[in-house]
Structure formats: C-alpha cells, structure tokens
Amino acid sequence: QVRLVESGGGLVQAGGSLRLSCAASGRTFSSYAMGWFRQAPGKEREFVAVISWRGTDTTYAASVKGRFTISRDNAKNTMYLQMTSLKPEDTAVYYCAAGTRFPIPTRVADFDSWGQGTQVTVSS
C-alpha cells in the first residue's frame, strides 16, 4: 500500500478557489489510479474525481464537473484537485485515495489506500 497525506484545505467564501494536494510515499505512485472523495457531516463518502495512472483519463462527479480539475505529477508523487467556483454544498472533509485494480475506479470499495482527510469549508 501507499501512504497518502492531503493538504490545502481551509475556509473560503462562496465563489472562491482552493487547491488540494495529496502527497504519496513509495516508488510505485505512477502505478496507481488516484481519486478524490468527500464526506459531509451525516452523509456517506462520495466520489469527486479520479485520474488514471498516467494522467491521460479523468472522470468527475456531475456536481463538480466544470468547476474542479484533477491532475497529477508522477515525478513528484503528488496529485492535485483545483477547485473553483466553490459552493457551500462543497463543504466536506476531502480524502485522496489510491487503487490498482481498475483503470478509472469511482467507488469507495475500488480503492486500497486512503489519506486522513483535509477539511474544506465554504461560507455563504
């Protein structure tokens, strides 16, 4: 498994932007599909975005498509989530995840390793 550490969360006003980072340990980062999930209080963890191991393919949840951009730098063992036009409903703990079993996984069960999460709060 790979160790994942998220950063970049914080408090932002509606309409603002944030960039989350996910730093991975180990030499096999480039073999993992990487994803972002989020979990709001009282709700289940939900899929946000995923990027293939080479970074050539991405998939987004309908709720964030056109506002969020996922990317990765395999040379730096880091994945990013650029979030723009943030809304109060984007408020959640954001988790990064790594998986090797599928090229573009989107389900929680498809991922093998998880970070500890970073809080994103969007005020209205």
Side-chain angles (χ1 to χ4, degrees):
Q1 291 187 344
V2 63
R3 182 172 178 266
L4 305 173
V5 180
E6 302 96 334
S7 61
L11 174 63
V12 63
Q13 289 187 336
S17 300
L18 280 175
R19 188 176 83 155
L20 305 183
S21 299
C22 174
S25 63
R27 298 182 179 181
T28 59
F29 176 76
S30 60
S31 66
Y32 288 88
M34 298 294 297
W36 288 99
F37 286 75
R38 65 187 182 186
Q39 189 166 17
K43 295 188 177 181
E44 294 187 352
R45 192 168 298 190
E46 66 172 1
F47 168 76
V48 174
V50 63
I51 188 167
S52 61
W53 65 275
R54 286 196 301 177
T56 54
D57 298 296
T58 59
T59 298
Y60 295 91
S63 58
V64 307
K65 196 170 185 179
R67 300 188 297 122
F68 291 9
T69 302
I70 189 171
S71 62
R72 67 189 295 164
D73 185 338
N74 286 347
K76 295 182 178 180
N77 280 12
T78 304
M79 174 182 64
Y80 305 97
L81 185 68
Q82 179 67 49
M83 304 185 293
T84 63
S85 301
L86 283 161
K87 305 174 182 180
E89 51 263 43
D90 294 319
T91 295
V93 177
Y94 283 70
Y95 298 89
C96 68
T100 60
R101 289 170 284 157
F102 303 97
I104 305 289
T106 60
R107 302 178 305 169
V108 170
D110 294 340
F111 290 84
D112 307 303
S113 300
W114 293 84
Q116 83 288 348
T118 186
Q119 176 71 47
V120 171
T121 303
V122 184
S123 62
S124 57

